[in-house]
Amino acid sequence: RRASLPLATCAQAAGFGTNVLVVGGGGREHALCYRLARSPTIGTLHCAPGNAGIAADALCVPSLDVSDHAAVAAFCEANSVGLVVVGPEQPLVDGLADDLTAAGIKTFGPSKAAARLEGSKGFLKDVLRKYDIPTAAYERFTDPAAAKSYITAQGAPIVVKTDGLAAGKGVTVASTVEEAHAAVDEMMVDSKFGAAGAEVVVEEFLDGEEASFFAFLAGEDAVMVGSAQDHKAVGDGDTGPNTGGMGAYSPASVVTPAMEERIMEELIRPTARAMVSEGCPYTGVLFAGIMIDKATGVPRLLEHNVRFGDPECQVLMHRMRSDLVQVLMAACEGRLGDIDVSFADETAVVVVVAAKGYPGDYAKGEVIGSLDAAAGKGAVVFHAGTKAGDGGEVLSAGGRVLGVTAAGADVVEAQRKAYEAVDAVDWPGGFCRRDIGWREVARMKGGTRGGQPAGAAA
């Protein structure tokens, strides 16, 4: 695929391109590699560990242990890496950006102290309260009995969250007090999430429409990236258990231009200033989970994440037209004000194809065929949980396996193209939701629920 990129190839041949290492091996990292590989100023692109799909855009380094920060620094030195892009949150919470920066390696991603915005929900909520950034009312607890007493006094619905990282699964939106009490026991007494649940945050339930909002930060400078809307529930109609995300679309029209400005002025820029005041200035992408109040239209912050969302990254990178290498370098060098971040004026939809049984138990090692046929439908197939077989075939290796992404003039066209590509994939062991983008389709059709393509699974 690299041969089809004359600008990038020329940069490599001339020796002036920037060598880049992407840390991670999921769908988000494939999307980042896809866009970085198309940068006119890319040199050699590496990805550790990578996956079967990323190998088409980058040199995968499965042997590099990214939890060994000294080894990552040594790899960067040996391969003249000028920029490291950290995909997942765990390496950031563990301080990878600190150690690489200390070794003189430009790293896109926040420090360990700044990554507490995601690594500790209690820290995040305390920052929001201290700096008057709109969010749900809350309290923190290390004693299960005290947490339950607070829940009883507040009533339901109410939200219970683990303080620490729990792979996106440490949140319970409880419709009854009993359900909330059970969540406290699960987190704090039964230790389902290990140390992450030793402390919990109990917060007010917010009623409205949720959206994902992204911005690049460098100290007090903040540049908007854009909006998306994720689909967490495993089943059509937002039914069944929550997942890491079964699909997304971008932009989300509920985030109007006026709402974008409100979010930047009331939530994003105040967070950037707060982190500077706290002595841990933020460099990286900030992913804000926003709830737009049903009654008032006021945006309030549900959470901050210190990395791109997955699968939101796939639709954002599909739409991006800026030179991503230069954008990320500018953030690392404190030059965000010099950079224009531009996107195609189109809607992108990503449909996640998961292994049957997900988010429960599922099989691995199944052959996935006809991926070229899917790409031939005008889609980009981002790999999340795949690996290469001994014969070069693509094998399933996770719960969420593919992110089939397409764009169109509007969400209806993008949705149609994405599902045409999904249906071209030959993998009997996979499944997907058939209604990704339904809220946006409903808005286009005048407020009735839509978005089910022909033949959609019941």
Side-chain angles (χ1 to χ4, degrees), residues 341-359:
V341 181
S342 62
F343 290 84
D345 185 18
E346 62 187 12
T347 297
V349 170
V350 56
V351 177
V352 170
V353 184
K356 287 181 179 177
Y358 175 80

Side-chain angles (χ1 to χ4, degrees), residues 46-69:
H46 306 270
C47 186
N51 65 36
I54 291 173
D57 290 305
L59 299 175
C60 293
V61 195
S63 61
L64 180 59
D65 179 2
V66 298
S67 67
D68 184 342
H69 299 178

Side-chain angles (χ1 to χ4, degrees), residues 10 71 81 138 166 208 221 242 263 302 341 359 375 379 430 443:
C10 289
V81 169
Y138 77 100
D221 292 333
N242 277 349
I263 292 170
L302 292 174
V341 181
R443 276 188 276 268

Side-chain angles (χ1 to χ4, degrees), residues 397-435:
R400 294 188 298 162
V401 176
L402 303 173
V404 181
T405 308
D410 55 35
V411 69
V412 172
E413 181 184 0
Q415 185 194 59
R416 174 184 58 78
K417 290 167 67 176
Y419 279 108
E420 286 177 356
V422 166
D423 291 339
V425 175
D426 181 14
W427 180 30
F431 79 98
C432 67
R433 278 184 60 161
R434 303 294 306 195
D435 64 346

Side-chain angles (χ1 to χ4, degrees), residues 52-250:
I54 291 173
D57 290 305
L59 299 175
C60 293
V61 195
S63 61
L64 180 59
D65 179 2
V66 298
S67 67
D68 184 342
H69 299 178
V72 176
F75 176 89
C76 292
E77 183 177 354
N79 291 276
S80 302
V81 169
L83 173 67
V84 175
V85 182
V86 184
E89 65 274 15
Q90 191 65 59
L92 295 167
V93 170
D94 292 342
L96 177 59
D98 305 67
D99 291 338
L100 294 180
T101 301
I105 301 162
K106 291 186 176 68
T107 303
F108 182 78
S111 66
K112 182 175 184 176
R116 288 179 294 167
L117 284 177
E118 182 171 359
S120 169
K121 296 179 182 68
F123 171 81
L124 165 67
K125 298 294 284 192
D126 287 350
V127 167
L128 300 179
R129 176 186 279 170
K130 180 176 178 179
Y131 294 94
D132 296 319
I133 299 170
T135 189
Y138 77 100
E139 292 297 339
R140 302 173 66 173
F141 298 95
T142 56
D143 175 52
K148 290 179 183 179
S149 294
Y150 178 78
I151 289 166
T152 300
Q154 296 299 311
I158 198 163
V159 181
V160 184
K161 300 179 176 180
T162 61
D163 176 71
L165 295 178
K169 298 175 183 176
V171 178
T172 296
V173 180
S175 56
T176 66
V177 167
E178 292 74 20
E179 186 182 355
H181 285 180
V184 169
D185 285 337
E186 184 178 64
M187 295 172 186
M188 304 187 78
V189 179
D190 301 336
S191 300
K192 179 178 179 180
F193 303 103
E199 179 177 340
V200 299
V201 172
V202 181
E203 66 180 31
E204 169 193 10
F205 171 79
L206 299 181
D207 188 19
E209 185 163 354
E210 193 172 345
S212 302
F213 190 88
F214 299 85
F216 291 134
L217 268 60
E220 292 193 7
D221 292 333
V223 175
M224 185 182 74
V225 175
S227 65
Q229 196 164 59
D230 190 10
H231 299 63
K232 287 292 187 188
V234 72
D236 290 2
D238 292 332
T239 57
N242 277 349
T243 69
M246 294 299 293
Y249 64 91
S250 174

